[in-house]
Amino acid sequence: MPHLSYAGSAQRQRGLSLIVVLLILVVISILGVGSAQIALQGERSARNDRDMQLAWQAAEAALQDAEFDIHGPGTNNRSAFFGSLQDTSGFVTNCGTQGSGSSFNALGLCALVMSGTPAWLNVDFTVTDTSARTVKFGTFTGRSFAASDSGTRGIEPYQAPRYVIEPIPDPGNRDLSSTASYVYRVTAMGFGPRKDIQAVTQIIYRN
């Protein structure tokens, strides 16, 4: 009888040890899965931040390109049109397309909307064909921009950034008796590695 009792106790101990080991393995597995998820989330967050930074930098580059467009020089220079702006007739309702307007190219030049949605909210910055109402980086300045749509490789913007220009009344003009003067509201959109990653920046520019 003592021998049988000892054998039964040993079997129960081995069974309990197996349960303890299985519980430890479950806990380790849960910790491992949790650590992997945290690492993946961190990597995804870092990648998203990188992509947004890329889009912001592209948008900032487009603002600078618009400044060169306004005051020149450029390969297709239209800076003579801008100057000290008092006549806004060259700016087109709903923004000009390539070749629209008078003797200058009115692409991306948007007439001021006095009420309702401003022009920069009504244009589609993702359109790149001849119906586009936004200016592609380098169109009037001859500058180049590395982007996936230009056949380059690596982590680059999906497409070159684009911008529009609107005239707005000069807030610094206090002389109400003088001829109205305007400054430029420039709105630019930059893209990350994917088309849906977009950043919009805007400046008020006085030539």
Side-chain angles (χ1 to χ4, degrees), residues 145-197:
F145 187 90
S148 298
D149 63 355
S150 61
T152 51
R153 297 172 180 266
I155 302 174
E156 295 174 337
Y158 175 83
Q159 65 185 60
R162 308 182 74 91
Y163 64 87
V164 295
I165 302 175
E166 301 168 87
I168 62 173
D170 187 352
N173 182 18
R174 304 297 182 182
D175 187 1
L176 299 179
S177 62
S178 64
T179 303
S181 60
Y182 297 84
V183 291
Y184 305 102
R185 178 167 63 195
V186 183
T187 306
M189 176 178 286
F191 300 87
R194 300 196 315 271
K195 188 176 183 178
D196 61 324
I197 301 175

Side-chain angles (χ1 to χ4, degrees), residues 57-77 135-147 149-150 160-161 163:
Q57 291 173 14
E60 290 289 340
L63 291 181
Q64 185 183 64
D65 194 62
E67 293 179 19
F68 285 125
D69 181 11
I70 292 172
H71 63 67
T75 54
N76 299 314
N77 194 0
V135 182
K136 179 182 178 181
F137 184 101
T139 298
F140 296 103
T141 63
R143 303 167 74 210
S144 60
F145 187 90
D149 63 355
S150 61
Y163 64 87

